[in-house]
Amino acid sequence: MTLQDMFNQRERSLDNLLGEIRELRVRTKELLPSYTASLIGLSQLPEEFEHQFWASCVEALLQTVKTDYQNLRAKAQKVDLLGKFMTLGIDIALKAGGMQPVTPPSSPRIGISISPSGKIEPALLDDPYKPPNVILLTLEEFEAIAQRLKVELLKGTIVPTSEDEIPKLIRDLALKKKD
């Protein structure tokens, strides 16, 4: 290869390079919107992960409360059944003696209590000794409030700073619902 051929090849390479640079600019402009959208989506991932984390904390609390509720409900059903058998026995004895039968006690209604401190646990809905400022809800009402909180957490309109805040947020929503 001669020196002239090398110069010609170099000139063609520079011309090709300039053409490729122009072509690259056009392709970059075409790719820029999707690249920018991808970067924005990537930057939102940590925020979305945080929203998902808080929503999963609500779900875990909901499952714990449901389990405790079912356990207390099973115990209450046993006590209720025993009470009905005892009432039946007393009624038989009273009727045999010519007396009026005893009115059977009503079945206990189980629900969820939320204390001002944020403690959430199953409780009797008709408890005459309910502490002041305790909110009593049915399980269905509690589940609806927890679902509403999950939606707010996923949207990012509510962002707790610790897991201890979640029961208090549920209580706040329950108070708003009662008003």
Side-chain angles (χ1 to χ4, degrees):
M1 187 181 253
T2 66
L3 191 59
Q4 185 63 33
D5 289 339
M6 285 175 47
F7 273 133
N8 288 341
Q9 189 176 17
R10 187 178 230 177
E11 283 178 24
R12 272 190 244 128
S13 293
L14 284 175
D15 288 341
N16 287 344
L17 180 64
L18 290 175
E20 286 179 22
I21 288 175
R22 284 187 204 109
E23 198 176 304
L24 198 58
R25 273 190 195 153
V26 170
R27 286 182 34 210
T28 303
K29 285 180 183 177
E30 291 171 358
L31 291 175
L32 191 61
S34 64
Y35 178 73
T36 305
S38 296
L39 280 179
I40 290 170
L42 185 62
S43 69
Q44 291 173 345
L45 280 178
E47 188 175 299
E48 187 168 322
F49 174 76
E50 181 181 19
H51 298 177
Q52 289 288 337
F53 170 75
W54 292 121
S56 70
C57 289
V58 171
E59 189 61 38
L61 175 65
L62 181 59
Q63 291 307 316
T64 301
V65 169
K66 278 178 154 179
T67 300
D68 293 346
Y69 172 87
Q70 294 299 339
N71 290 338
L72 182 62
R73 187 169 169 229
K75 289 176 186 176
Q77 285 175 339
K78 286 179 187 176
V79 168
D80 187 43
L81 186 60
L82 181 62
K84 286 182 180 171
F85 278 130
M86 289 175 65
T87 303
L88 182 63
I90 292 170
D91 274 352
I92 292 171
L94 289 174
K95 284 180 185 176
M99 301 168 119
Q100 287 290 339
V102 175
T103 308
S106 61
S107 298
R109 294 183 332 127
I110 308 297
I112 306 298
S113 73
I114 307 173
S115 69
S117 68
K119 184 176 182 182
I120 299 174
E121 60 187 352
L124 296 174
L125 289 174
D126 303 320
D127 185 0
Y129 304 108
K130 170 187 89 134
N133 299 322
V134 168
I135 300 171
L136 292 175
L137 304 166
T138 64
L139 180 64
E140 293 76 22
E141 289 172 323
F142 179 77
E143 287 176 319
I145 290 168
Q147 291 303 324
R148 199 165 107 213
L149 178 60
K150 278 178 53 177
V151 168
E152 295 297 321
L153 291 169
L154 289 171
K155 284 196 281 186
T157 53
I158 297 176
V159 181
T161 55
S162 74
E163 286 184 53
D164 295 337
E165 260 184 85
I166 291 175
K168 292 174 184 162
L169 291 170
I170 289 175
R171 179 178 166 74
D172 291 345
L173 288 174
L175 284 171
K176 287 178 187 173
K177 183 184 177 296
K178 292 285 184 184
D179 292 337

PDB file of all heavy atoms in Angstrom, residues 137-163:
ATOM      1  N   LEU A 137     -64.591  -2.137  67.105  1.00  0.00           N
ATOM      2  CA  LEU A 137     -64.999  -2.320  65.710  1.00  0.00           C
ATOM      3  C   LEU A 137     -65.307  -3.790  65.468  1.00  0.00           C
ATOM      4  O   LEU A 137     -64.747  -4.663  66.133  1.00  0.00           O
ATOM      5  CB  LEU A 137     -63.867  -1.928  64.756  1.00  0.00           C
ATOM      6  CG  LEU A 137     -63.267  -0.539  64.853  1.00  0.00           C
ATOM      7  CD1 LEU A 137     -61.974  -0.472  64.078  1.00  0.00           C
ATOM      8  CD2 LEU A 137     -64.249   0.463  64.310  1.00  0.00           C
ATOM      9  N   THR A 138     -66.143  -4.052  64.481  1.00  0.00           N
ATOM     10  CA  THR A 138     -66.298  -5.434  64.036  1.00  0.00           C
ATOM     11  C   THR A 138     -65.053  -5.786  63.217  1.00  0.00           C
ATOM     12  O   THR A 138     -64.314  -4.889  62.774  1.00  0.00           O
ATOM     13  CB  THR A 138     -67.551  -5.606  63.151  1.00  0.00           C
ATOM     14  OG1 THR A 138     -67.375  -4.841  61.954  1.00  0.00           O
ATOM     15  CG2 THR A 138     -68.816  -5.197  63.889  1.00  0.00           C
ATOM     16  N   LEU A 139     -64.840  -7.058  63.008  1.00  0.00           N
ATOM     17  CA  LEU A 139     -63.680  -7.471  62.211  1.00  0.00           C
ATOM     18  C   LEU A 139     -63.776  -6.897  60.799  1.00  0.00           C
ATOM     19  O   LEU A 139     -62.775  -6.448  60.240  1.00  0.00           O
ATOM     20  CB  LEU A 139     -63.554  -8.999  62.166  1.00  0.00           C
ATOM     21  CG  LEU A 139     -62.383  -9.537  61.356  1.00  0.00           C
ATOM     22  CD1 LEU A 139     -61.049  -9.111  61.975  1.00  0.00           C
ATOM     23  CD2 LEU A 139     -62.443 -11.044  61.229  1.00  0.00           C
ATOM     24  N   GLU A 140     -64.972  -6.874  60.252  1.00  0.00           N
ATOM     25  CA  GLU A 140     -65.161  -6.357  58.895  1.00  0.00           C
ATOM     26  C   GLU A 140     -64.819  -4.873  58.813  1.00  0.00           C
ATOM     27  O   GLU A 140     -64.187  -4.428  57.841  1.00  0.00           O
ATOM     28  CB  GLU A 140     -66.606  -6.590  58.425  1.00  0.00           C
ATOM     29  CG  GLU A 140     -66.978  -8.043  58.239  1.00  0.00           C
ATOM     30  CD  GLU A 140     -67.234  -8.799  59.554  1.00  0.00           C
ATOM     31  OE1 GLU A 140     -67.539  -8.156  60.596  1.00  0.00           O
ATOM     32  OE2 GLU A 140     -67.106 -10.029  59.540  1.00  0.00           O
ATOM     33  N   GLU A 141     -65.227  -4.105  59.818  1.00  0.00           N
ATOM     34  CA  GLU A 141     -64.889  -2.674  59.841  1.00  0.00           C
ATOM     35  C   GLU A 141     -63.373  -2.485  59.938  1.00  0.00           C
ATOM     36  O   GLU A 141     -62.796  -1.642  59.247  1.00  0.00           O
ATOM     37  CB  GLU A 141     -65.556  -1.980  61.033  1.00  0.00           C
ATOM     38  CG  GLU A 141     -67.053  -1.835  60.917  1.00  0.00           C
ATOM     39  CD  GLU A 141     -67.691  -1.310  62.195  1.00  0.00           C
ATOM     40  OE1 GLU A 141     -67.238  -1.678  63.306  1.00  0.00           O
ATOM     41  OE2 GLU A 141     -68.655  -0.535  62.083  1.00  0.00           O
ATOM     42  N   PHE A 142     -62.746  -3.299  60.792  1.00  0.00           N
ATOM     43  CA  PHE A 142     -61.298  -3.209  60.955  1.00  0.00           C
ATOM     44  C   PHE A 142     -60.584  -3.538  59.642  1.00  0.00           C
ATOM     45  O   PHE A 142     -59.648  -2.835  59.242  1.00  0.00           O
ATOM     46  CB  PHE A 142     -60.822  -4.149  62.069  1.00  0.00           C
ATOM     47  CG  PHE A 142     -59.343  -4.122  62.268  1.00  0.00           C
ATOM     48  CD1 PHE A 142     -58.733  -3.075  62.943  1.00  0.00           C
ATOM     49  CD2 PHE A 142     -58.544  -5.141  61.768  1.00  0.00           C
ATOM     50  CE1 PHE A 142     -57.360  -3.041  63.106  1.00  0.00           C
ATOM     51  CE2 PHE A 142     -57.169  -5.118  61.930  1.00  0.00           C
ATOM     52  CZ  PHE A 142     -56.581  -4.064  62.605  1.00  0.00           C
ATOM     53  N   GLU A 143     -61.034  -4.598  58.973  1.00  0.00           N
ATOM     54  CA  GLU A 143     -60.417  -4.982  57.695  1.00  0.00           C
ATOM     55  C   GLU A 143     -60.576  -3.865  56.658  1.00  0.00           C
ATOM     56  O   GLU A 143     -59.636  -3.579  55.911  1.00  0.00           O
ATOM     57  CB  GLU A 143     -61.049  -6.274  57.163  1.00  0.00           C
ATOM     58  CG  GLU A 143     -60.645  -7.502  57.924  1.00  0.00           C
ATOM     59  CD  GLU A 143     -61.360  -8.754  57.435  1.00  0.00           C
ATOM     60  OE1 GLU A 143     -62.566  -8.680  57.143  1.00  0.00           O
ATOM     61  OE2 GLU A 143     -60.698  -9.802  57.354  1.00  0.00           O
ATOM     62  N   ALA A 144     -61.746  -3.239  56.616  1.00  0.00           N
ATOM     63  CA  ALA A 144     -61.973  -2.154  55.649  1.00  0.00           C
ATOM     64  C   ALA A 144     -61.038  -0.979  55.934  1.00  0.00           C
ATOM     65  O   ALA A 144     -60.476  -0.385  54.999  1.00  0.00           O
ATOM     66  CB  ALA A 144     -63.431  -1.706  55.710  1.00  0.00           C
ATOM     67  N   ILE A 145     -60.849  -0.659  57.202  1.00  0.00           N
ATOM     68  CA  ILE A 145     -59.951   0.449  57.562  1.00  0.00           C
ATOM     69  C   ILE A 145     -58.509   0.097  57.199  1.00  0.00           C
ATOM     70  O   ILE A 145     -57.772   0.931  56.664  1.00  0.00           O
ATOM     71  CB  ILE A 145     -60.098   0.788  59.056  1.00  0.00           C
ATOM     72  CG1 ILE A 145     -61.461   1.431  59.298  1.00  0.00           C
ATOM     73  CG2 ILE A 145     -58.979   1.715  59.523  1.00  0.00           C
ATOM     74  CD1 ILE A 145     -61.853   1.560  60.753  1.00  0.00           C
ATOM     75  N   ALA A 146     -58.106  -1.147  57.463  1.00  0.00           N
ATOM     76  CA  ALA A 146     -56.741  -1.575  57.121  1.00  0.00           C
ATOM     77  C   ALA A 146     -56.527  -1.522  55.605  1.00  0.00           C
ATOM     78  O   ALA A 146     -55.464  -1.085  55.141  1.00  0.00           O
ATOM     79  CB  ALA A 146     -56.475  -2.977  57.652  1.00  0.00           C
ATOM     80  N   GLN A 147     -57.525  -1.922  54.835  1.00  0.00           N
ATOM     81  CA  GLN A 147     -57.411  -1.870  53.372  1.00  0.00           C
ATOM     82  C   GLN A 147     -57.302  -0.420  52.894  1.00  0.00           C
ATOM     83  O   GLN A 147     -56.539  -0.122  51.978  1.00  0.00           O
ATOM     84  CB  GLN A 147     -58.611  -2.558  52.704  1.00  0.00           C
ATOM     85  CG  GLN A 147     -58.631  -4.052  52.890  1.00  0.00           C
ATOM     86  CD  GLN A 147     -57.379  -4.756  52.394  1.00  0.00           C
ATOM     87  OE1 GLN A 147     -56.774  -4.382  51.389  1.00  0.00           O
ATOM     88  NE2 GLN A 147     -56.962  -5.770  53.120  1.00  0.00           N
ATOM     89  N   ARG A 148     -58.073   0.461  53.519  1.00  0.00           N
ATOM     90  CA  ARG A 148     -58.004   1.881  53.154  1.00  0.00           C
ATOM     91  C   ARG A 148     -56.615   2.444  53.440  1.00  0.00           C
ATOM     92  O   ARG A 148     -56.056   3.208  52.640  1.00  0.00           O
ATOM     93  CB  ARG A 148     -59.073   2.660  53.913  1.00  0.00           C
ATOM     94  CG  ARG A 148     -59.382   3.994  53.271  1.00  0.00           C
ATOM     95  CD  ARG A 148     -60.659   4.584  53.780  1.00  0.00           C
ATOM     96  NE  ARG A 148     -60.302   5.692  54.648  1.00  0.00           N
ATOM     97  CZ  ARG A 148     -60.976   6.067  55.705  1.00  0.00           C
ATOM     98  NH1 ARG A 148     -62.055   5.425  56.058  1.00  0.00           N
ATOM     99  NH2 ARG A 148     -60.582   7.085  56.419  1.00  0.00           N
ATOM    100  N   LEU A 149     -56.042   2.049  54.579  1.00  0.00           N
ATOM    101  CA  LEU A 149     -54.687   2.497  54.908  1.00  0.00           C
ATOM    102  C   LEU A 149     -53.682   1.963  53.895  1.00  0.00           C
ATOM    103  O   LEU A 149     -52.788   2.690  53.457  1.00  0.00           O
ATOM    104  CB  LEU A 149     -54.303   2.068  56.328  1.00  0.00           C
ATOM    105  CG  LEU A 149     -52.888   2.455  56.766  1.00  0.00           C
ATOM    106  CD1 LEU A 149     -52.685   3.966  56.725  1.00  0.00           C
ATOM    107  CD2 LEU A 149     -52.603   1.920  58.164  1.00  0.00           C
ATOM    108  N   LYS A 150     -53.836   0.700  53.493  1.00  0.00           N
ATOM    109  CA  LYS A 150     -52.928   0.124  52.486  1.00  0.00           C
ATOM    110  C   LYS A 150     -52.973   0.922  51.186  1.00  0.00           C
ATOM    111  O   LYS A 150     -51.934   1.210  50.589  1.00  0.00           O
ATOM    112  CB  LYS A 150     -53.284  -1.335  52.210  1.00  0.00           C
ATOM    113  CG  LYS A 150     -52.722  -2.299  53.216  1.00  0.00           C
ATOM    114  CD  LYS A 150     -53.131  -3.724  52.962  1.00  0.00           C
ATOM    115  CE  LYS A 150     -52.851  -4.214  51.582  1.00  0.00           C
ATOM    116  NZ  LYS A 150     -53.185  -5.634  51.381  1.00  0.00           N
ATOM    117  N   VAL A 151     -54.163   1.310  50.769  1.00  0.00           N
ATOM    118  CA  VAL A 151     -54.304   2.095  49.535  1.00  0.00           C
ATOM    119  C   VAL A 151     -53.585   3.432  49.676  1.00  0.00           C
ATOM    120  O   VAL A 151     -52.854   3.858  48.772  1.00  0.00           O
ATOM    121  CB  VAL A 151     -55.803   2.298  49.192  1.00  0.00           C
ATOM    122  CG1 VAL A 151     -55.988   3.346  48.106  1.00  0.00           C
ATOM    123  CG2 VAL A 151     -56.433   0.981  48.773  1.00  0.00           C
ATOM    124  N   GLU A 152     -53.773   4.082  50.811  1.00  0.00           N
ATOM    125  CA  GLU A 152     -53.107   5.373  51.053  1.00  0.00           C
ATOM    126  C   GLU A 152     -51.586   5.208  51.080  1.00  0.00           C
ATOM    127  O   GLU A 152     -50.853   6.058  50.586  1.00  0.00           O
ATOM    128  CB  GLU A 152     -53.587   5.994  52.371  1.00  0.00           C
ATOM    129  CG  GLU A 152     -55.049   6.381  52.377  1.00  0.00           C
ATOM    130  CD  GLU A 152     -55.396   7.459  51.370  1.00  0.00           C
ATOM    131  OE1 GLU A 152     -54.602   8.399  51.198  1.00  0.00           O
ATOM    132  OE2 GLU A 152     -56.472   7.359  50.744  1.00  0.00           O
ATOM    133  N   LEU A 153     -51.114   4.118  51.667  1.00  0.00           N
ATOM    134  CA  LEU A 153     -49.672   3.868  51.723  1.00  0.00           C
ATOM    135  C   LEU A 153     -49.110   3.603  50.328  1.00  0.00           C
ATOM    136  O   LEU A 153     -48.032   4.094  49.983  1.00  0.00           O
ATOM    137  CB  LEU A 153     -49.368   2.677  52.640  1.00  0.00           C
ATOM    138  CG  LEU A 153     -49.616   2.903  54.127  1.00  0.00           C
ATOM    139  CD1 LEU A 153     -49.531   1.594  54.892  1.00  0.00           C
ATOM    140  CD2 LEU A 153     -48.636   3.912  54.688  1.00  0.00           C
ATOM    141  N   LEU A 154     -49.826   2.832  49.522  1.00  0.00           N
ATOM    142  CA  LEU A 154     -49.361   2.530  48.166  1.00  0.00           C
ATOM    143  C   LEU A 154     -49.354   3.770  47.283  1.00  0.00           C
ATOM    144  O   LEU A 154     -48.497   3.915  46.409  1.00  0.00           O
ATOM    145  CB  LEU A 154     -50.216   1.427  47.543  1.00  0.00           C
ATOM    146  CG  LEU A 154     -50.005   0.036  48.126  1.00  0.00           C
ATOM    147  CD1 LEU A 154     -51.053  -0.937  47.600  1.00  0.00           C
ATOM    148  CD2 LEU A 154     -48.601  -0.471  47.838  1.00  0.00           C
ATOM    149  N   LYS A 155     -50.306   4.678  47.519  1.00  0.00           N
ATOM    150  CA  LYS A 155     -50.334   5.937  46.756  1.00  0.00           C
ATOM    151  C   LYS A 155     -49.247   6.893  47.233  1.00  0.00           C
ATOM    152  O   LYS A 155     -48.861   7.795  46.507  1.00  0.00           O
ATOM    153  CB  LYS A 155     -51.691   6.623  46.897  1.00  0.00           C
ATOM    154  CG  LYS A 155     -52.784   5.985  46.084  1.00  0.00           C
ATOM    155  CD  LYS A 155     -53.986   6.894  45.935  1.00  0.00           C
ATOM    156  CE  LYS A 155     -54.848   6.884  47.151  1.00  0.00           C
ATOM    157  NZ  LYS A 155     -56.097   7.653  47.003  1.00  0.00           N
ATOM    158  N   GLY A 156     -48.773   6.692  48.455  1.00  0.00           N
ATOM    159  CA  GLY A 156     -47.751   7.581  48.997  1.00  0.00           C
ATOM    160  C   GLY A 156     -48.335   8.800  49.688  1.00  0.00           C
ATOM    161  O   GLY A 156     -47.585   9.705  50.045  1.00  0.00           O
ATOM    162  N   THR A 157     -49.649   8.835  49.907  1.00  0.00           N
ATOM    163  CA  THR A 157     -50.252   9.982  50.585  1.00  0.00           C
ATOM    164  C   THR A 157     -49.983   9.936  52.090  1.00  0.00           C
ATOM    165  O   THR A 157     -50.009  10.970  52.749  1.00  0.00           O
ATOM    166  CB  THR A 157     -51.772  10.051  50.339  1.00  0.00           C
ATOM    167  OG1 THR A 157     -52.355   8.794  50.685  1.00  0.00           O
ATOM    168  CG2 THR A 157     -52.073  10.368  48.894  1.00  0.00           C
ATOM    169  N   ILE A 158     -49.739   8.731  52.610  1.00  0.00           N
ATOM    170  CA  ILE A 158     -49.342   8.555  54.010  1.00  0.00           C
ATOM    171  C   ILE A 158     -48.023   7.794  53.991  1.00  0.00           C
ATOM    172  O   ILE A 158     -47.919   6.750  53.349  1.00  0.00           O
ATOM    173  CB  ILE A 158     -50.396   7.749  54.800  1.00  0.00           C
ATOM    174  CG1 ILE A 158     -51.716   8.500  54.848  1.00  0.00           C
ATOM    175  CG2 ILE A 158     -49.896   7.459  56.208  1.00  0.00           C
ATOM    176  CD1 ILE A 158     -52.849   7.731  55.521  1.00  0.00           C
ATOM    177  N   VAL A 159     -47.025   8.318  54.697  1.00  0.00           N
ATOM    178  CA  VAL A 159     -45.725   7.653  54.760  1.00  0.00           C
ATOM    179  C   VAL A 159     -45.285   7.598  56.228  1.00  0.00           C
ATOM    180  O   VAL A 159     -44.850   8.603  56.788  1.00  0.00           O
ATOM    181  CB  VAL A 159     -44.654   8.387  53.913  1.00  0.00           C
ATOM    182  CG1 VAL A 159     -43.331   7.649  53.976  1.00  0.00           C
ATOM    183  CG2 VAL A 159     -45.115   8.544  52.476  1.00  0.00           C
ATOM    184  N   PRO A 160     -45.415   6.432  56.860  1.00  0.00           N
ATOM    185  CA  PRO A 160     -44.984   6.309  58.259  1.00  0.00           C
ATOM    186  C   PRO A 160     -43.464   6.355  58.369  1.00  0.00           C
ATOM    187  O   PRO A 160     -42.748   6.161  57.387  1.00  0.00           O
ATOM    188  CB  PRO A 160     -45.498   4.937  58.686  1.00  0.00           C
ATOM    189  CG  PRO A 160     -46.167   4.338  57.520  1.00  0.00           C
ATOM    190  CD  PRO A 160     -45.982   5.221  56.341  1.00  0.00           C
ATOM    191  N   THR A 161     -43.011   6.589  59.575  1.00  0.00           N
ATOM    192  CA  THR A 161     -41.564   6.585  59.808  1.00  0.00           C
ATOM    193  C   THR A 161     -41.123   5.333  60.544  1.00  0.00           C
ATOM    194  O   THR A 161     -39.944   5.025  60.575  1.00  0.00           O
ATOM    195  CB  THR A 161     -41.140   7.826  60.620  1.00  0.00           C
ATOM    196  OG1 THR A 161     -41.900   7.865  61.821  1.00  0.00           O
ATOM    197  CG2 THR A 161     -41.357   9.096  59.817  1.00  0.00           C
ATOM    198  N   SER A 162     -42.101   4.622  61.170  1.00  0.00           N
ATOM    199  CA  SER A 162     -41.768   3.368  61.848  1.00  0.00           C
ATOM    200  C   SER A 162     -42.996   2.467  61.856  1.00  0.00           C
ATOM    201  O   SER A 162     -44.122   2.930  61.657  1.00  0.00           O
ATOM    202  CB  SER A 162     -41.301   3.632  63.289  1.00  0.00           C
ATOM    203  OG  SER A 162     -42.403   3.984  64.097  1.00  0.00           O
ATOM    204  N   GLU A 163     -42.765   1.183  62.124  1.00  0.00           N
ATOM    205  CA  GLU A 163     -43.867   0.223  62.169  1.00  0.00           C
ATOM    206  C   GLU A 163     -44.807   0.513  63.333  1.00  0.00           C
ATOM    207  O   GLU A 163     -45.984   0.162  63.281  1.00  0.00           O
ATOM    208  CB  GLU A 163     -43.329  -1.203  62.273  1.00  0.00           C
ATOM    209  CG  GLU A 163     -42.742  -1.709  60.984  1.00  0.00           C
ATOM    210  CD  GLU A 163     -42.287  -3.150  61.069  1.00  0.00           C
ATOM    211  OE1 GLU A 163     -43.097  -3.999  61.483  1.00  0.00           O
ATOM    212  OE2 GLU A 163     -41.123  -3.409  60.730  1.00  0.00           O
TER     213      GLU A 163
END
